[in-house]
Amino acid sequence: MKRTAALRAVALGAAVAMIATACSSGSGSDDATEGAGESTTLTWWHNSNTGAGKDYYDQLADEFEGDHPGVTVEVSALAHEDMLTKLDAAFQTGDQPDVFMERGGGELKAHVEAGLVKDISDSAADTISAIGGSVAGWQAEGQTYALPFSLGVVGFWYNKQIFADAGITEAPTTMDDLYAAIDTLKAAGIEPISVGAGDKWPAAHYWYYFALRQCSQEVLTDAVQTLDFSDDCWVRAGTSLEELVAKEPFNTGFLATVAQTGPASASGLLATGKVAMELAGHWEPGVMQGLTDDGQGLGENTGWFAFPEVAGGEGDPKAQLGGGDAWACSNDAPDVCVDFLEFMLSNDVQKGFAELDMGLPTLPSATAFVSAPELAQLLAVRNEAPYIQLYFDTAFGESIGGAMNDAIANVFGGVGSAQDVVDATVAAAESA
Amino acid sequence: MTSIVAPPSRGSRTSGARSASGSRRRVSPLVYIASVFIALVTLSPVIYAVLGGFRSNGQLAESPAGLPSPWIFTNYISVITSSSFWQYGLNSMIIAAVTTALVVVAGVMAAYPLARYRFKGRQALFNVFVLGLLFPLTVAIIPLFLMVRDLGLTNSYWGVALPQAAFALPMTIVILRPFLMALPNELEEAAMLDGASRIGFFWRILIPLSGPGMVTVGVLAFVASWNGYLLPLLFLNDPALKTLPLGVADFSTQYSADTAGVLAFTSLAIIPALVFFLTMQKRIVSGLQGAVKG
Amino acid sequence: MNPGATDQATAWSVASGPRGRGASSNQWRKRLEITFFVAPALLLFAIFVIVPVLQAGRYSVFNWNGLGPLDNFVGLQNYVQALGDEIFQRAVRNNLTIAFFSIAIQLPIGIMVALLLNRKFRGQTAMRVIVFVPYVLAEVVAGVVWVLILQPNGPLDAVLDTLGLGFIGQVWLGDPSVALWTVMGVLTWKYSGLAIVLLLAGLQGVPEELHEAASIDGATWWQVQRKITIPLLGPTIRTWIFLSLIGSLQLFDMVWILTKGGPVNATVTMATYLINQGTDRQQYGYASAVAILLFCISFILAILYQTLFLNRDAGVDKPRRKKVTR
């Protein structure tokens, strides 16, 4: 087995457990395993299952064990989709790991209502105030349930070399610019955009962005609260999408292309220079590094620009679509779980996270350590955005979001219309 | 249900029983041409995977369907020397063996009264099992998950083996029952004259005679368990307990950029199932023939 | 399901008299024995199959997201919603299409190959092993390899180009109008082996003498097969069709790994739809209703098939009396 360090820690733990229990905040803890001579185990599921990210998290687990004698951290690095499947199953049975990822929005609400997540408002108060405003997405009824460790926005990642070779000198800022770039690239014999429509959510991001550009902030916030989609901007979002799809800018076979596994995935095509750009979140450089033999991704050629303006839209053109990941503790996790969360959000850990370009740190003191220039650029856009709209599928929860995504994928496949997306969403909202 | 396993029909079939004239006629070249074609179509994905494991990612990108040039052994060596691969294989082996043992023992025991006793409700009981053919695992996966947890079996070999065995039972009983029915009544009469009880008859005569049938259902259960994906995915969180299909899925997402590595891992994952099948092949065919040596 | 089952001669019950036991004690003894033999299987089956399926039935009348208590009773609304849902209807159509073509494609292949392998020729044993290889491979393993083979500009397209058949090239899994047929092709590759092996086993039951008699009468090999062998394979064929039909209706693994039911639901099946509704959308009540519908559809088709075709074979279950040769 690979985690011999963990075994040693257990052996050590038995010896120092007496001291540990003396120091622990033993306020009638509900966790029976914290008795004298016992060791505590924290199970932790995460989705950084490749390369440097995986190693970093293993190293952090060891470090935490070193600082907390008697505590063992059992790490499971899972592929993203597998992790979601297993988390869903685990939530139903109350078998969830002690530490898991929360994406906020409707998903978090459902977990809170079912009493699955620990309320950490008081126990992690210092860290919560250090993080600041970003925590808002993981609060419900004024209580905080998770600590966001990465918060980013979605935009176009592009291959600078390909753009330059095709003679595109300026990154597009309006849809017309984007259409011009698409035509130029096609004329040069390059597939302009890859999209992982097989996984649906990457395709859905386009519609989300068009909705963000077409609808005012007020309409958006209302919709999340009241599930009212009567404003005609929702249909206009679909019309804009139909226009883009009609341009046929996407890679061959995009309807079955997966988001980020393998060289034939949307990220893989961009990383290996097969397409010019892809709409994706802040995780993209990290993903691309895992998809090239040299571990560099696009390296020097990585470029980024924000989603273009849409003429005639009522939304703020600087508004961004985004979301993040937070660490949460399961409701029945031992108290030391909150310590682990705070450790994960400590300056050093966030700094290492930033230096490895694993995401965009939420701790303001760590944002300076984001090393890649394009991530720094994205960070600036994130910090300047008047508001950041959480991915709709997360915001509305899985049942409405899922219906939305299916209908959007149909528009990509040419078998659905702008109106269908709104109808499907409304129907799902009614039965939810 | 009809018998899949042909009931014993004509005594033992030794090669001598087949007259050479009937079957050993000149074989037309068409037979060979057809055979080669069938073999190619059947094996090409496997060949692609095995050869792909001997190539580099550069070669795979360069000519997707080419031959290795030069041959590269590092992909295979790195898989073989990884402890996780062997751990996955061992887990799969244990789970499949436990499942098979459960299915064969419970199945043959249940098939015996259903085949050779006369009692009220026999047909109803048989139909209850047959109905199970219509329930795929997916139908009951969520309640099943809750059940396994309530029994405290998550993250254990039993948590996967018991449900797998339960879902393999209908097929087992459907195959074994006609097989047991077809054994001649004279056996029973002879056993009775020797003063054996029914249970004695079951252990001493029926079990040895139904060997071929048990091999058949055992192999089907073993293959189904060996290949199972959904149950292990949901019930085994502990990396130390993961089975080979989970390993393949994990590996192919974790090292998705390393197509050659994925192909090497996949090829090696195929081998145990193939070796098992090759060693059992003769037994399977004879099991399916259901020949009774009189 | 099979009313044609015959009763065994029960020598023991006849013989109970001379042993001087009362009939009732004998009855008890028999009941005990039956219980002893059936108990392990029945217990396993009840705990892990029957109870979970009944549970699924219970969930199906609630609107439940899998978290918290079952408290939102909606009656049959989930069923109404599923039956009216376009994607579910499409899934049913896809399942029936797959069932029809599985049988229409695999049966001729199975018969031809089984007849071929039933002849004695050099390499016959090797061939018998080869045809069963795809069936032995795990769906995940086969799926991973096929996805790589079928990717755009992948090995398959390269082979077609080399053979000068580049024009056949398709976006195999990414084009909604092609994907179902691609999946069909992979299914044929994966599952034909089962048909071949079963039919080969069935051929063992065809007496050699018939062939010899026929060939002495001057019939060609093909005539013998058509007039004698294939009709005698009837019961085996009907059984295999039944298994294939049920398997097609419940198809999940292979489709899930190849396409997840996409692109744009082109290859959705009832099972992928229910897993999708369950795991991706958290609608466990609704997904359970779909599961129960899947069972009902399988059940109705199974019963129909049984009454239409299988009862003809009732006689086949009767043990053929044969002399015990010593």
Side-chain angles (χ1 to χ4, degrees), chain A residues 15 55 68 71 104 160 176 201 207 264 282 289 348 378 384 418 425:
Chain A
D55 298 344
H68 296 73
V71 176
K160 285 179 176 169
D176 288 343
W201 57 262
W207 188 88
H282 54 282
Q289 285 161 11
D348 288 351
L378 190 152
E384 284 163 22
T425 309

PDB file of all heavy atoms in Angstrom, chain A residues 15 55 68 71 104 160 176 201 207 264 282 289 348 378 384 418 425:
ATOM      1  N   ALA A  15       0.264   6.580  20.784  1.00  0.00           N
ATOM      2  CA  ALA A  15       1.109   7.008  21.884  1.00  0.00           C
ATOM      3  C   ALA A  15       0.752   8.404  22.379  1.00  0.00           C
ATOM      4  O   ALA A  15       0.790   8.679  23.571  1.00  0.00           O
ATOM      5  CB  ALA A  15       2.574   6.974  21.460  1.00  0.00           C
ATOM      6  N   ASP A  55      -0.550  14.922  -6.161  1.00  0.00           N
ATOM      7  CA  ASP A  55       0.595  14.831  -5.255  1.00  0.00           C
ATOM      8  C   ASP A  55       0.502  15.882  -4.151  1.00  0.00           C
ATOM      9  O   ASP A  55       0.792  15.607  -2.989  1.00  0.00           O
ATOM     10  CB  ASP A  55       1.910  15.022  -6.029  1.00  0.00           C
ATOM     11  CG  ASP A  55       2.115  13.936  -7.063  1.00  0.00           C
ATOM     12  OD1 ASP A  55       1.418  12.898  -6.975  1.00  0.00           O
ATOM     13  OD2 ASP A  55       2.938  14.128  -7.978  1.00  0.00           O
ATOM     14  N   HIS A  68      -1.444  17.004  13.546  1.00  0.00           N
ATOM     15  CA  HIS A  68      -2.521  16.542  14.430  1.00  0.00           C
ATOM     16  C   HIS A  68      -2.314  15.068  14.746  1.00  0.00           C
ATOM     17  O   HIS A  68      -2.930  14.208  14.127  1.00  0.00           O
ATOM     18  CB  HIS A  68      -3.895  16.729  13.790  1.00  0.00           C
ATOM     19  CG  HIS A  68      -4.236  18.159  13.539  1.00  0.00           C
ATOM     20  ND1 HIS A  68      -3.650  18.895  12.535  1.00  0.00           N
ATOM     21  CD2 HIS A  68      -5.088  18.990  14.182  1.00  0.00           C
ATOM     22  CE1 HIS A  68      -4.139  20.134  12.567  1.00  0.00           C
ATOM     23  NE2 HIS A  68      -5.005  20.226  13.547  1.00  0.00           N
ATOM     24  N   VAL A  71      -4.647  11.736  14.229  1.00  0.00           N
ATOM     25  CA  VAL A  71      -5.618  11.908  13.155  1.00  0.00           C
ATOM     26  C   VAL A  71      -5.065  11.275  11.882  1.00  0.00           C
ATOM     27  O   VAL A  71      -3.911  11.468  11.529  1.00  0.00           O
ATOM     28  CB  VAL A  71      -5.917  13.397  12.895  1.00  0.00           C
ATOM     29  CG1 VAL A  71      -6.861  13.556  11.710  1.00  0.00           C
ATOM     30  CG2 VAL A  71      -6.502  14.035  14.132  1.00  0.00           C
ATOM     31  N   GLY A 104     -22.094  24.755  -4.042  1.00  0.00           N
ATOM     32  CA  GLY A 104     -22.956  25.883  -3.700  1.00  0.00           C
ATOM     33  C   GLY A 104     -24.324  25.808  -4.353  1.00  0.00           C
ATOM     34  O   GLY A 104     -24.730  24.769  -4.858  1.00  0.00           O
ATOM     35  N   LYS A 160      -2.597  31.018 -28.775  1.00  0.00           N
ATOM     36  CA  LYS A 160      -2.056  32.266 -29.332  1.00  0.00           C
ATOM     37  C   LYS A 160      -1.380  32.038 -30.676  1.00  0.00           C
ATOM     38  O   LYS A 160      -1.517  32.836 -31.599  1.00  0.00           O
ATOM     39  CB  LYS A 160      -1.038  32.881 -28.363  1.00  0.00           C
ATOM     40  CG  LYS A 160      -1.660  33.539 -27.148  1.00  0.00           C
ATOM     41  CD  LYS A 160      -0.554  34.079 -26.249  1.00  0.00           C
ATOM     42  CE  LYS A 160      -1.122  34.833 -25.050  1.00  0.00           C
ATOM     43  NZ  LYS A 160      -0.061  35.110 -24.065  1.00  0.00           N
ATOM     44  N   ASP A 176     -19.603  39.913 -33.003  1.00  0.00           N
ATOM     45  CA  ASP A 176     -19.202  40.083 -34.403  1.00  0.00           C
ATOM     46  C   ASP A 176     -17.719  39.791 -34.580  1.00  0.00           C
ATOM     47  O   ASP A 176     -17.318  39.158 -35.562  1.00  0.00           O
ATOM     48  CB  ASP A 176     -19.537  41.508 -34.883  1.00  0.00           C
ATOM     49  CG  ASP A 176     -21.044  41.687 -35.052  1.00  0.00           C
ATOM     50  OD1 ASP A 176     -21.742  40.654 -35.117  1.00  0.00           O
ATOM     51  OD2 ASP A 176     -21.511  42.840 -35.081  1.00  0.00           O
ATOM     52  N   TRP A 201     -22.794  19.922 -19.921  1.00  0.00           N
ATOM     53  CA  TRP A 201     -22.570  21.212 -19.237  1.00  0.00           C
ATOM     54  C   TRP A 201     -21.642  22.165 -19.984  1.00  0.00           C
ATOM     55  O   TRP A 201     -21.868  23.372 -19.955  1.00  0.00           O
ATOM     56  CB  TRP A 201     -22.154  21.016 -17.774  1.00  0.00           C
ATOM     57  CG  TRP A 201     -20.933  20.171 -17.533  1.00  0.00           C
ATOM     58  CD1 TRP A 201     -20.930  18.854 -17.202  1.00  0.00           C
ATOM     59  CD2 TRP A 201     -19.562  20.566 -17.607  1.00  0.00           C
ATOM     60  NE1 TRP A 201     -19.645  18.393 -17.071  1.00  0.00           N
ATOM     61  CE2 TRP A 201     -18.783  19.424 -17.306  1.00  0.00           C
ATOM     62  CE3 TRP A 201     -18.907  21.766 -17.891  1.00  0.00           C
ATOM     63  CZ2 TRP A 201     -17.383  19.453 -17.288  1.00  0.00           C
ATOM     64  CZ3 TRP A 201     -17.516  21.792 -17.874  1.00  0.00           C
ATOM     65  CH2 TRP A 201     -16.769  20.644 -17.573  1.00  0.00           C
ATOM     66  N   TRP A 207     -25.173  28.908 -23.436  1.00  0.00           N
ATOM     67  CA  TRP A 207     -26.514  29.469 -23.236  1.00  0.00           C
ATOM     68  C   TRP A 207     -26.549  30.315 -21.963  1.00  0.00           C
ATOM     69  O   TRP A 207     -27.151  31.387 -21.928  1.00  0.00           O
ATOM     70  CB  TRP A 207     -27.547  28.332 -23.156  1.00  0.00           C
ATOM     71  CG  TRP A 207     -28.974  28.784 -23.144  1.00  0.00           C
ATOM     72  CD1 TRP A 207     -29.778  29.021 -24.222  1.00  0.00           C
ATOM     73  CD2 TRP A 207     -29.777  29.037 -21.972  1.00  0.00           C
ATOM     74  NE1 TRP A 207     -31.040  29.401 -23.801  1.00  0.00           N
ATOM     75  CE2 TRP A 207     -31.067  29.424 -22.422  1.00  0.00           C
ATOM     76  CE3 TRP A 207     -29.541  28.968 -20.593  1.00  0.00           C
ATOM     77  CZ2 TRP A 207     -32.104  29.735 -21.555  1.00  0.00           C
ATOM     78  CZ3 TRP A 207     -30.582  29.290 -19.722  1.00  0.00           C
ATOM     79  CH2 TRP A 207     -31.844  29.675 -20.204  1.00  0.00           C
ATOM     80  N   ALA A 264      -8.830  13.295 -27.177  1.00  0.00           N
ATOM     81  CA  ALA A 264      -9.935  13.596 -28.082  1.00  0.00           C
ATOM     82  C   ALA A 264     -11.029  14.405 -27.389  1.00  0.00           C
ATOM     83  O   ALA A 264     -12.056  14.689 -27.977  1.00  0.00           O
ATOM     84  CB  ALA A 264     -10.516  12.309 -28.653  1.00  0.00           C
ATOM     85  N   HIS A 282     -11.737  28.293 -15.034  1.00  0.00           N
ATOM     86  CA  HIS A 282     -10.374  28.577 -14.609  1.00  0.00           C
ATOM     87  C   HIS A 282      -9.528  27.319 -14.441  1.00  0.00           C
ATOM     88  O   HIS A 282      -8.326  27.408 -14.293  1.00  0.00           O
ATOM     89  CB  HIS A 282     -10.429  29.311 -13.266  1.00  0.00           C
ATOM     90  CG  HIS A 282     -11.221  28.556 -12.234  1.00  0.00           C
ATOM     91  ND1 HIS A 282     -12.592  28.547 -12.219  1.00  0.00           N
ATOM     92  CD2 HIS A 282     -10.834  27.762 -11.206  1.00  0.00           C
ATOM     93  CE1 HIS A 282     -13.016  27.789 -11.212  1.00  0.00           C
ATOM     94  NE2 HIS A 282     -11.979  27.300 -10.591  1.00  0.00           N
ATOM     95  N   GLN A 289      -2.596  20.638 -18.891  1.00  0.00           N
ATOM     96  CA  GLN A 289      -1.276  20.112 -18.545  1.00  0.00           C
ATOM     97  C   GLN A 289      -1.304  18.601 -18.411  1.00  0.00           C
ATOM     98  O   GLN A 289      -0.347  17.918 -18.769  1.00  0.00           O
ATOM     99  CB  GLN A 289      -0.787  20.746 -17.236  1.00  0.00           C
ATOM    100  CG  GLN A 289      -0.316  22.173 -17.422  1.00  0.00           C
ATOM    101  CD  GLN A 289      -0.288  22.933 -16.110  1.00  0.00           C
ATOM    102  OE1 GLN A 289      -0.421  22.365 -15.039  1.00  0.00           O
ATOM    103  NE2 GLN A 289      -0.127  24.243 -16.202  1.00  0.00           N
ATOM    104  N   ASP A 348      -0.635  29.370   3.560  1.00  0.00           N
ATOM    105  CA  ASP A 348       0.377  28.537   2.906  1.00  0.00           C
ATOM    106  C   ASP A 348      -0.231  27.557   1.922  1.00  0.00           C
ATOM    107  O   ASP A 348       0.282  27.369   0.813  1.00  0.00           O
ATOM    108  CB  ASP A 348       1.185  27.759   3.961  1.00  0.00           C
ATOM    109  CG  ASP A 348       2.107  28.684   4.729  1.00  0.00           C
ATOM    110  OD1 ASP A 348       2.215  29.865   4.313  1.00  0.00           O
ATOM    111  OD2 ASP A 348       2.697  28.239   5.735  1.00  0.00           O
ATOM    112  N   LEU A 378      -7.391  36.537 -15.774  1.00  0.00           N
ATOM    113  CA  LEU A 378      -8.730  36.060 -15.446  1.00  0.00           C
ATOM    114  C   LEU A 378      -9.128  36.524 -14.040  1.00  0.00           C
ATOM    115  O   LEU A 378     -10.278  36.916 -13.796  1.00  0.00           O
ATOM    116  CB  LEU A 378      -8.701  34.525 -15.522  1.00  0.00           C
ATOM    117  CG  LEU A 378     -10.006  33.741 -15.464  1.00  0.00           C
ATOM    118  CD1 LEU A 378      -9.852  32.435 -16.211  1.00  0.00           C
ATOM    119  CD2 LEU A 378     -10.400  33.446 -14.039  1.00  0.00           C
ATOM    120  N   GLU A 384     -13.072  42.416 -11.070  1.00  0.00           N
ATOM    121  CA  GLU A 384     -13.734  43.630 -11.568  1.00  0.00           C
ATOM    122  C   GLU A 384     -15.195  43.409 -11.915  1.00  0.00           C
ATOM    123  O   GLU A 384     -15.918  44.364 -12.190  1.00  0.00           O
ATOM    124  CB  GLU A 384     -13.019  44.134 -12.837  1.00  0.00           C
ATOM    125  CG  GLU A 384     -11.712  44.840 -12.546  1.00  0.00           C
ATOM    126  CD  GLU A 384     -10.864  44.938 -13.807  1.00  0.00           C
ATOM    127  OE1 GLU A 384     -11.437  44.859 -14.920  1.00  0.00           O
ATOM    128  OE2 GLU A 384      -9.634  45.063 -13.683  1.00  0.00           O
ATOM    129  N   ALA A 418     -34.932  27.690 -29.304  1.00  0.00           N
ATOM    130  CA  ALA A 418     -34.777  28.614 -28.180  1.00  0.00           C
ATOM    131  C   ALA A 418     -35.952  28.484 -27.215  1.00  0.00           C
ATOM    132  O   ALA A 418     -35.784  28.489 -26.000  1.00  0.00           O
ATOM    133  CB  ALA A 418     -34.660  30.038 -28.698  1.00  0.00           C
ATOM    134  N   THR A 425     -37.253  24.204 -19.015  1.00  0.00           N
ATOM    135  CA  THR A 425     -36.881  24.726 -17.707  1.00  0.00           C
ATOM    136  C   THR A 425     -38.120  24.987 -16.856  1.00  0.00           C
ATOM    137  O   THR A 425     -38.181  24.628 -15.684  1.00  0.00           O
ATOM    138  CB  THR A 425     -36.072  26.030 -17.874  1.00  0.00           C
ATOM    139  OG1 THR A 425     -35.015  25.793 -18.803  1.00  0.00           O
ATOM    140  CG2 THR A 425     -35.489  26.491 -16.563  1.00  0.00           C
TER     141      THR A 425
END
